[in-house]
């Protein structure tokens, strides 16, 4: 995708009421999110055909011997997941105390965080009574639908 198209897309997102735009063109993919941490785009490498009669210079590529990294395991306990895409906030306002801390006892229906989506602040309630064992998301971080937020036991 060329720079002019990218600038046009950025201008459209900044001038419109949408908070996120994702465009796929060929093997390239661009995601523009308004008011979120920067997202870096990685484009698949382009392969060029070699002219006939030319030989490849240098040794053949060697496969990497590094082991694959396993996905982090979610700790034992009930996992409270995000019901929507948005920005996660632990407190009702920037200077206020967080809704919950690790080790706090919470009741079913208690507000545990806010997720901002399209300029609306949505209070997220816990779906069980228990103790907060772990907070899996940083304040101000973008979250996806179904992403684990808290572990309650």
């Amino acid at each position: 995708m060329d720079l002019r198209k990218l600038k046009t897309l950025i201008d459209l997102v900044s001038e419109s009421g949408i908070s996120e735009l994702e465009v796929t063109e060929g093997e390239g993919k661009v995601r523009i999110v308004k008011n979120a941490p920067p997202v870096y785009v990685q484009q698949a490498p382009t392969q060029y055909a070699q002219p006939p009669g030319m030989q490849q210079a240098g040794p053949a590529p060697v496969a990497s011997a590094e082991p694959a990294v396993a996905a982090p395991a979610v700790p034992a306990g009930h996992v409270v997941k995000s019901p929507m895409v948005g920005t996660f906030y632990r407190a009702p306002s920037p200077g206020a105390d967080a809704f919950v801390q690790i080790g706090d006892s919470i009741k079913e229906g208690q507000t545990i965080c806010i997720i901002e989506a399209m300029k609306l602040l949505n209070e997220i309630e816990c779906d069980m009574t228990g103790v907060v064992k772990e907070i899996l998301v940083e304040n101000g971080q973008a979250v996806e639908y179904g992403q684990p937020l808290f572990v309650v036991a």
Side-chain angles (χ1 to χ4, degrees):
M1 181 173 290
D2 72 347
L3 207 49
R4 284 174 282 158
K5 283 185 184 178
L6 191 56
K7 176 150 178 36
T8 303
L9 290 174
I10 292 170
D11 291 342
L12 286 172
V13 170
S14 66
E15 293 170 5
S16 70
I18 64 172
S19 61
E20 185 173 325
L21 175 69
E22 187 168 314
V23 177
T24 304
E25 186 175 282
E27 291 184 21
K29 185 176 184 181
V30 173
R31 181 173 178 213
I32 302 169
V33 180
K34 192 187 302 184
N35 295 334
V39 176
Y40 299 99
V41 178
Q42 181 178 3
Q43 190 168 354
T46 307
Q47 295 181 356
Y48 297 98
Q50 203 169 22
M54 298 275 305
Q55 292 185 355
Q56 182 178 358
V62 178
S64 175
E66 295 179 23
V69 177
V74 176
H78 176 74
V79 177
V80 178
K81 296 180 180 179
S82 175
M84 65 185 66
V85 174
T87 305
F88 173 87
Y89 295 108
R90 292 186 58 195
S93 63
D97 291 334
F99 287 109
V100 295
Q101 301 286 345
I102 295 175
D104 286 355
S105 294
I106 55 175
K107 297 185 190 293
E108 184 175 348
Q110 178 179 342
T111 300
I112 55 176
C113 68
I114 290 177
I115 296 182
E116 179 187 3
M118 297 180 67
K119 304 293 181 192
L120 295 174
L121 301 176
N122 303 283
E123 292 185 351
I124 308 303
E125 299 175 347
C126 189
D127 54 358
M128 72 170 286
T129 300
V131 177
V132 178
K133 292 294 181 187
E134 194 166 350
I135 301 171
L136 304 170
V137 182
E138 294 295 323
N139 195 43
Q141 179 180 339
V143 294
E144 298 292 329
Y145 172 79
Q147 179 177 344
L149 303 174
F150 296 90
V151 176
V152 179

